[in-house]
Amino acid sequence: MNHASTPPSVNAVDAVKAVDAAPLLEHYHHDPHALVQILREYQALQGWLPRSALEDIARGLRLTLAHVEGVAGFYRFLHTENVGEYRILFSDNITDRMLGSEALMADLCQRLHVVPGKMRADGRVSVDTTSCTGLCDQGPALLINHQHVVTQLSPTRVEHLAALIEQRVPPQQWPTQWSAVDESIRLADVKLGEQPVPGQALAVVRARGPLAMLEEIKRSKLRGRGGAGYATGTKWQLCRNAVGQAHYVVCNADEGEPGTFKDRVLLSRCADAVIEGMTIAAMIVGAKQGLIYLRGEYRFLLDHLESVLRSRREKGLLGPEFDIVIHLGAGAYVCGEESALIESLEGQRGVPRIRPPFPVECGYLGQPTTVNNVETFCAVTHIALHGAAWWSSIGTAQSTGTKIHSVSGDCERPGMYEYPFGTRIGRILEDCGARDTQAVQVGGPSGVCLSASEFGRRIGFEDVPTAGAFMVFDRSRDMFEVARNFAHFFAHESCGFCTPCRVGNELVVRRLDKLSRGHGSTRDIDELRELDKLMHGATHCGLGAAACNPLRDTIAKFRPAYEKHLHSLHFVPGFDLDAELSQARLVTARDDDGAHLETML
């Protein structure tokens, strides 16, 4: 393991212009598995990744240029073309849009004379969108140079921001309150409540022994909090039993599901409990090395997490027997899938692996690896302290303990809510101050969309499972537009590896855009249903399989939202052929009746 997460110090802007790849390559001991980190850190110094730098990095890591270019081209936050001194990305999640992000972005582009998606001619600035910054509770939000966040945007803040850019004021010198990220904890229970003393749970486990602790985890019936809900004790048993030269523990902190931001708060407020849970896992599976895969959008948490790791090393809670490094993601939603995450850790494109073998047998560097969610590790620390019987007494028979929900959308009090499993959807709506609610998207776009008649259902693996997102939509919202936003998200985030996902998502987007333009028919709805069936059973990984979930739910439960876009019961073409050809006819100077110049676009 040669990874490290602190780059060489290069402070002066002039020095950035002259940066070469050699110090970074040396810092990472020319380890090809550190490729993503090297690319990201080089870009932070240079601003982008010129081809000459990619060639230097390829030589330094003994990789082909094609491989390095392929990795650089895969991640949204890596740029092989200059994107300007200020790279501004507006969060494009549906809840940011509901808070006015589109108008604010248009305003900023007008003030800066920027075309969205293109760099300004002077190389100063570019403005674009990114799927979700994980700040839905304090949006609209944006990300600058993939490092600095600005929350709670307003017209006044946008005007001031544009002026600072024109004056070339570095983001580090902008008003500090702009980048303030609140924890927004509205209701705390076990995990968000009083924090245990660092090392306390670890001492209990050392006294109890790793095998006894493993049995305690099994008896607690803890299931993963990342969404899949696999039994944690079983996963750790399989990893422990697997044969390998080394074992690894990985914390999946890549929460990219739009509407989810619970891991952001846990890493900010409860980092010691999360890292202690990783350390307990390491004792059980026999790992000496741990890795935290931190979402690229959460770059602002990196210094805090490094500080917590240093503090624990100083206290003897991390060290020679087990230590942890942080890997920073580079903007790829699919890396939330555990095998894609491992590929990324190894310096590859984040393409999900074919399974079996599963990571517990053949994971990071081909060795047994357990990958667990941030909230899962946090729960382990509390189970170690209070015992399996205490934990399993909370929640329901199949869903023990508590679950944290990140609530956003149409409600008076967005933020973090922690409840025992089994809590009604309606209870959460009451607590967050939702009014006149027509729908709730639970678990993000890949989750389930519930209508008002289902608000009596309960959160739990036996009823409504969730990875944590809880997005509220009142009756003023167009659920067709909600589904269209989610469809664009999946099409944008598909890794492109398999045809059903790559092409299927694009076809869904085109069909929904056609409906939005007023060219829809019932045949389009039928074709969307067929695409749902195809993708659900034919894609390489869960991203493609889940991509049509919001589409299927909203067609079934909010049919009028689609019907208002239907122009006919029969097929309607997506464009007017005469109108499309009118420009060509004009250029060729046709003026006969057959030229149909009256349809000119």
Side-chain angles (χ1 to χ4, degrees):
M1 166 55 60
N2 294 320
H3 284 197
S5 52
T6 305
S9 175
V10 180
N11 296 318
V13 173
D14 289 341
V16 171
K17 303 295 184 187
V19 70
D20 67 55
L24 272 173
L25 293 166
E26 187 67 27
H27 179 73
Y28 281 101
H29 309 289
H30 297 266
D31 179 4
H33 299 121
L35 175 58
V36 176
Q37 300 308 288
I38 291 171
L39 291 174
R40 178 154 185 143
E41 291 175 20
Y42 185 92
Q43 179 174 279
L45 300 169
Q46 185 75 40
W48 61 294
L49 299 167
R51 187 180 176 87
S52 60
L54 298 182
E55 290 171 345
D56 290 343
I57 291 169
R59 274 194 299 273
L61 300 181
R62 297 183 180 178
L63 297 170
T64 66
L65 177 60
H67 177 89
V68 174
E69 285 187 323
V71 171
F74 180 83
Y75 295 92
R76 310 292 182 195
F77 287 0
L78 298 179
H79 306 290
T80 54
E81 294 182 356
N82 195 349
V83 290
E85 189 178 334
Y86 296 85
R87 173 63 167 169
I88 299 176
L89 295 174
F90 276 77
S91 184
D92 199 33
N93 182 19
I94 186 66
T95 57
D96 286 284
R97 287 192 176 198
M98 289 156 57
L99 292 168
S101 63
E102 292 172 294
L104 291 167
M105 179 173 161
D107 183 25
L108 182 64
C109 287
Q110 185 178 27
R111 291 179 183 279
L112 294 172
H113 307 290
V114 171
V115 175
K118 294 184 179 179
M119 185 178 69
R120 202 167 71 178
D122 64 358
R124 180 82 59 82
V125 59
S126 64
V127 180
D128 210 334
T129 59
T130 188
S131 298
C132 179
T133 53
L135 296 159
C136 314
D137 53 333
Q138 42 211 301
L142 58 76
L143 193 61
I144 296 181
N145 296 344
H146 311 303
Q147 295 195 43
H148 309 279
V149 297
V150 178
T151 60
Q152 299 179 341
L153 287 166
S154 65
T156 303
R157 190 163 287 190
V158 165
E159 181 183 2
H160 191 180
L161 189 152
L164 290 173
I165 289 174
E166 295 294 17
Q167 295 162 18
R168 303 190 77 164
V169 177
Q172 298 90 327
Q173 297 177 19
W174 292 4
T176 53
Q177 67 269 26
W178 288 11
S179 55
V181 178
D182 297 330
E183 291 180 348
S184 301
I185 297 174
R186 305 287 186 179
L187 183 65
D189 199 321
V190 173
K191 296 186 284 279
L192 292 176
E194 186 178 350
Q195 294 301 297
V197 176
Q200 193 177 7
L202 206 53
V204 172
V205 177
R206 282 175 177 151
R208 183 182 284 149
L211 272 178
M213 185 62 214
L214 176 59
E215 292 306 313
E216 201 73 7
I217 295 291
K218 289 180 181 177
R219 281 195 295 273
S220 75
K221 300 179 184 177
L222 174 66
R223 297 173 65 166
R225 283 351 192 210
Y230 196 78
T232 303
T234 303
K235 179 184 279 191
W236 290 6
Q237 179 77 71
L238 290 170
C239 187
R240 177 185 174 90
N241 293 346
V243 177
Q245 295 177 335
H247 288 61
Y248 295 95
V249 172
V250 175
C251 177
N252 184 349
D254 191 51
E255 62 171 353
E257 195 80 30
T260 310
F261 45 89
K262 66 179 178 62
D263 291 349
R264 183 200 85 210
V265 177
L266 283 170
L267 292 170
S268 173
R269 177 182 170 80
C270 316
D272 260 305
V274 174
I275 293 168
E276 191 136 328
M278 290 181 69
T279 312
I280 293 168
M283 292 175 66
I284 291 174
V285 305
K288 294 185 180 301
Q289 185 66 58
L291 303 100
I292 297 175
Y293 190 102
L294 181 64
R295 187 184 185 207
E297 288 83 345
Y298 293 166
R299 167 65 180 78
F300 62 90
L301 288 173
L302 182 60
D303 291 344
H304 163 66
L305 292 173
E306 292 284 11
S307 171
V308 174
L309 290 177
R310 278 196 301 273
S311 171
R312 293 184 69 84
R313 289 185 192 112
E314 290 168 2
K315 294 173 183 173
L317 302 176
L318 283 176
E321 293 182 357
F322 175 71
D323 210 338
I324 294 171
V325 295
I326 300 173
H327 174 109
L328 200 58
Y333 165 76
V334 71
C335 288
E337 196 276 341
E338 63 177 0
S339 67
L341 182 149
I342 290 170
E343 287 285 305
S344 184
L345 286 174
E346 294 180 354
Q348 311 283 343
R349 298 159 64 95
V351 176
R353 295 176 176 174
I354 294 173
R355 297 178 295 179
F358 292 94
V360 288
E361 298 172 322
C362 183
Y364 181 62
L365 304 180
Q367 302 301 315
T369 303
T370 181
V371 182
N372 291 97
N373 174 261
V374 171
E375 189 179 352
T376 311
F377 284 123
C378 187
V380 165
T381 297
H382 290 277
I383 293 170
L385 278 173
H386 303 292
W390 165 80
W391 180 263
S392 59
S393 70
I394 305 169
T396 69
Q398 296 180 41
S399 309
T400 59
T402 64
K403 183 77 190 82
I404 301 173
H405 307 269
S406 39
V407 178
S408 61
D410 293 315
C411 61
E412 294 174 0
R413 296 177 290 278
M416 306 290 292
Y417 292 78
E418 183 179 8
Y419 296 96
F421 271 118
T423 299
R424 281 186 309 109
I425 300 294
R427 163 75 189 282
I428 303 174
L429 289 170
E430 293 159 12
D431 288 350
C432 72
R435 301 279 186 275
D436 199 27
T437 305
Q438 68 166 327
V440 177
Q441 185 73 28
V442 181
S446 63
V448 58
C449 184
L450 303 176
S451 64
S453 64
E454 300 171 283
F455 292 168
R457 293 178 63 182
R458 296 175 183 276
I459 297 292
F461 294 105
E462 56 270 66
D463 190 2
V464 184
T466 177
F470 193 93
M471 304 161 79
V472 183
F473 303 99
D474 69 21
R475 293 185 189 279
S476 71
R477 305 299 178 186
D478 183 347
M479 294 308 295
F480 168 82
E481 286 300 330
V482 172
R484 196 161 77 94
N485 177 272
F486 291 163
H488 276 269
F489 163 75
F490 283 116
H492 183 264
E493 295 295 341
S494 170
C495 76
F497 175 78
C498 74
T499 303
C501 181
R502 182 180 66 251
V503 178
N505 274 306
E506 183 60 29
L507 290 175
V508 168
V509 164
R510 291 186 183 186
R511 196 67 58 178
L512 290 174
D513 286 349
K514 179 187 172 188
L515 285 166
S516 180
R517 292 194 301 270
H519 298 298
S521 69
T522 52
R523 180 170 167 175
D524 292 301
I525 303 294
D526 294 340
E527 292 202 14
L528 285 169
R529 286 203 184 98
E530 288 301 315
L531 284 168
D532 172 30
K533 291 178 188 172
L534 174 75
M535 293 170 62
H536 197 71
T539 56
H540 175 65
C541 77
L543 186 151
C548 285
N549 286 357
L551 185 69
R552 185 172 60 247
D553 283 349
T554 50
I555 289 177
K557 300 172 185 177
F558 303 97
R559 178 78 182 201
Y562 285 81
E563 289 180 343
K564 70 180 183 182
H565 292 284
L566 302 184
H567 181 70
S568 168
L569 295 177
H570 308 288
F571 174 75
V572 176
F575 62 95
D576 183 335
L577 183 59
D578 273 337
E580 296 290 335
L581 292 175
S582 60
Q583 293 286 353
R585 291 179 183 128
L586 197 63
V587 169
T588 55
R590 281 187 60 180
D591 60 358
D592 57 283
D593 292 343
H596 299 293
L597 295 181
E598 70 281 2
T599 64
M600 190 172 67
L601 289 169

